[in-house]
Amino acid sequence: MHWALRSNTARKCWLLISSHVFYACFFIGEPAVFLDHLARGEWAQLPPGWWFPAVLWGSTCMDYAVGLGIAGASSERRRKVWLFTSLLVNLGVLCFFKYFNFFITSAAGFLDWFGLHTSLHTLNIILPYGVSFYTFQSMSYSIDVYRRRLDPVRSFLDLAFFISFFPQLVAGPIVRATVFLPQVAAKRLWANVDVRGCATLFFIGFVKKACVSEFAAPFSDAFFAAPEKYSHGGALLGVFFYAMQIYCDFSGYTDMAIATARLLGYELTLNFDFPYFSRSITEFWRRWHISLSTWLRDYLYISLGGNRGSKLFTYRNLMLTMLLGGLWHGASWNFVIWGGLHGAALIVHREWSRLTENAGVAFRRVLAILAVPLTFYWVCITWIFFRAAPTYNEKTHVLEASGLHNAWVALKAFTFTGGRGKTTFSIECLGILIVLAVLHWLNSQRIPGTWWRRLPDWACAVLLGVATAVALLFVPVKYKPFIYFQF
């Protein structure tokens, strides 16, 4: 339907409507039943969160007005007032839905430390899908207009289309207005679409999520449900399984989102670049969730002052950025700890790089050998706290608590400082992990090549069809939602 429409405006209208219908379907349940209740005025029978698409529309309308307001402001003070309005509303929406209960319970716990017992009440707040992603996209538009990096958009259709574009709406990547809006201005051509490359990328993303991540999930779930029962070897494999699960889950979604956008003629932001082969934690954050890490760098770290000051000032900004980046993932101290561990590692790496910049050749060779496994090991340590954080329940639409206790038990077993359990995983599980790691490394080296591009169209279609049929044989019957949908 998209390509059948001739005008660019008609295509954008069609995709805008489709994107909002796509988003609404996460909340309204069965459309026919929802519309029947709506027509009868049976408001109590409507599903929880049926009105969440209005939040998305509200954010879009507000930042459209802010962009025009900044452009038409007669003084710098008024420009700042408009920008503050965008930040206040967007962050206010994000804080209410995501952090209200967290702040209430944390404040109550803090007061309890001083013997001041309180009777604070929490709310049964439902978390809208994708709220963290589209608020960041919306804010980036207003900030870029304020910084004069982008002219304000006069067409409301263009801005609404940019914020709600369905492939990246609920789980990223976080696309910048400076990247996407220029694409919206020009009519996309089918002749420029790499159909074979898009289909292949989508298939790879599907295999990552439906086959690899879903295969790893039961093993990591079993370990984190009762880490005290596992031996050191079992703890290693359990955490490695989770590292594989979250990477394949998130990067798999990103691959499918990018492929879908390309089939429609649009290019999204690269989000992963084989992060587990990073040689330092700094390099890891240049390869993992790239759209978020660059967003935090450009709009938070630099706004705090970046490295324009003393070493202590720079490290403070770095730590604050990572702490808030951890909190962005969810309302839990586990995420804050996860961000703090990464912030500490980034600071340590900077100091280590400074101290070893004049090291000898032999020492550098040893570091080159150990860099990747040590970085991966540290990343896995941080994943323990990430995994132990509250998880989103698809049926109740609320966060279910986990706890720091399990994280601490899992950490001791993983680092060989505790844990006396006897349970472990089979040797076959270790073999599968090794095979998948080797295949991933070969792919990072581009060893598979592009031989498939030289095949005739019919042969490539048959090959992709057969590969999909084989992949479907390995898809578990019970589906697990994408991990990053909860953020």
Side-chain angles (χ1 to χ4, degrees):
M1 182 66 183
H2 168 71
W3 291 108
L5 298 172
R6 292 184 176 274
S7 75
N8 190 32
T9 300
R11 289 177 178 177
K12 289 185 289 188
C13 288
W14 167 251
L15 287 179
L16 176 63
I17 294 170
S18 300
S19 296
H20 279 275
V21 170
F22 167 82
Y23 187 63
C25 286
F26 281 100
F27 308 105
I28 66 175
E30 182 64 36
V33 177
F34 172 79
L35 292 175
D36 182 63
H37 288 317
L38 197 63
R40 295 172 182 269
E42 299 172 344
W43 304 104
Q45 302 300 320
L46 295 177
W50 63 270
W51 52 275
F52 282 161
V55 179
L56 176 59
W57 275 112
S59 179
T60 303
C61 294
M62 186 271 302
D63 276 296
Y64 176 73
V66 165
L68 295 179
I70 292 175
S74 57
S75 65
E76 186 63 24
R77 181 180 179 181
R78 292 189 176 183
R79 295 179 78 249
K80 289 181 178 180
V81 169
W82 279 109
L83 177 63
F84 179 76
T85 301
S86 173
L87 299 179
L88 181 65
V89 174
N90 278 305
L91 293 178
V93 168
L94 189 60
C95 287
F96 173 75
F97 283 109
K98 203 165 184 177
Y99 305 112
F100 180 83
N101 287 339
F102 172 69
F103 291 145
I104 291 294
T105 54
S106 296
F110 179 75
L111 292 175
D112 283 344
W113 284 352
F114 296 95
L116 302 175
H117 301 291
T118 58
S119 57
L120 299 177
H121 298 285
T122 59
L123 302 177
N124 186 26
I125 298 175
I126 300 173
L127 182 67
Y129 282 116
V131 64
S132 298
F133 291 94
Y134 69 71
T135 52
F136 269 33
Q137 282 199 186
S138 192
M139 279 195 299
S140 72
Y141 165 74
S142 295
I143 296 172
D144 282 340
V145 171
Y146 173 78
R147 292 177 174 178
R148 295 186 172 88
R149 293 178 179 174
L150 181 71
D151 292 330
V153 176
R154 302 294 174 180
S155 168
F156 178 77
L157 172 62
D158 286 359
L159 185 65
F161 175 46
F162 154 66
I163 294 175
S164 65
F165 188 43
F166 76 90
Q168 46 76 42
L169 177 59
V170 293
I174 303 170
V175 183
R176 305 283 185 90
T178 52
V179 173
F180 195 82
L181 285 175
Q183 300 179 59
V184 173
K187 182 179 178 180
R188 318 316 290 171
L189 301 176
W190 173 252
N192 295 333
V193 176
D194 177 16
V195 178
R196 184 178 299 195
C198 292
T200 303
L201 181 60
F202 191 94
F203 171 73
I204 292 172
F206 172 77
V207 170
K208 282 182 180 179
K209 166 57 182 173
C211 298
V212 181
S213 179
E214 295 297 294
F215 164 78
F219 298 104
S220 65
D221 289 347
F223 168 70
F224 281 99
E228 69 279 358
K229 296 181 180 179
Y230 284 82
S231 63
H232 296 304
L236 283 173
L237 291 182
V239 177
F240 289 166
F241 271 121
Y242 182 69
M244 179 171 68
Q245 177 194 354
I246 192 171
Y247 170 72
C248 290
D249 183 283
F250 194 16
S251 68
Y253 178 88
T254 298
D255 289 343
M256 289 187 281
I258 292 174
T260 303
R262 286 176 178 174
L263 282 172
L264 296 170
Y266 298 97
E267 189 69 33
L268 301 183
T269 306
L270 176 69
N271 218 21
F272 292 92
D273 186 18
F274 303 98
Y276 288 156
F277 297 123
S278 302
R279 292 167 293 181
S280 68
I281 199 67
T282 301
E283 184 179 339
F284 174 82
W285 277 104
R286 291 171 182 157
R287 293 170 167 230
W288 175 273
H289 205 171
I290 300 170
S291 63
L292 174 65
S293 61
T294 54
W295 197 102
L296 293 173
R297 179 198 65 198
D298 295 342
Y299 298 112
L300 181 56
Y301 176 71
I302 292 178
S303 297
L304 289 172
N307 56 3
R308 301 186 301 274
S310 66
K311 184 187 298 184
L312 184 61
F313 177 80
T314 299
Y315 290 167
R316 184 211 67 172
N317 295 339
L318 192 58
M319 180 58 77
L320 283 175
T321 299
M322 296 310 298
L323 289 172
L324 292 173
L327 192 60
W328 175 88
H329 286 83
S332 169
W333 288 109
N334 297 65
F335 290 124
V336 177
I337 293 172
W338 175 79
L341 289 173
H342 275 284
L346 288 169
I347 293 171
V348 169
H349 177 251
R350 287 198 177 196
E351 283 300 302
W352 176 258
S353 300
R354 181 180 63 83
L355 295 172
T356 60
E357 61 182 354
N358 296 320
V361 176
F363 184 71
R364 288 184 176 276
R365 287 177 178 174
V366 173
L367 288 181
I369 296 172
L370 297 177
V372 173
L374 286 178
T375 301
F376 178 69
Y377 188 73
W378 178 258
V379 169
C380 286
I381 288 176
T382 66
W383 282 140
I384 293 173
F385 292 93
F386 193 96
R387 175 59 177 78
T391 55
Y392 191 68
N393 188 307
E394 291 294 311
K395 296 181 179 179
T396 62
H397 294 282
V398 297
L399 289 173
E400 294 182 341
S402 181
L404 288 173
H405 175 72
N406 270 14
W408 181 246
V409 174
L411 178 64
K412 290 194 293 184
F414 184 74
T415 56
F416 298 87
T417 58
R420 300 178 181 178
K422 302 298 182 182
T423 306
T424 187
F425 297 102
S426 65
I427 192 67
E428 288 81 5
C429 290
L430 175 61
I432 292 172
L433 275 175
I434 293 174
V435 169
L436 290 173
V438 170
L439 290 175
H440 190 53
W441 179 81
L442 291 174
N443 191 30
S444 72
Q445 301 300 309
R446 309 293 191 268
I447 289 178
T450 57
W451 57 270
W452 49 275
R453 287 193 175 275
R454 297 191 292 272
L455 295 174
D457 290 341
W458 67 267
C460 187
V462 170
L463 179 61
L464 197 58
V466 171
T468 302
V470 172
L472 288 172
L473 298 175
F474 295 92
V475 177
V477 176
K478 188 177 181 181
Y479 167 79
K480 289 180 72 70
F482 288 96
I483 294 174
Y484 266 68
F485 273 16
Q486 65 182 290
F487 306 137

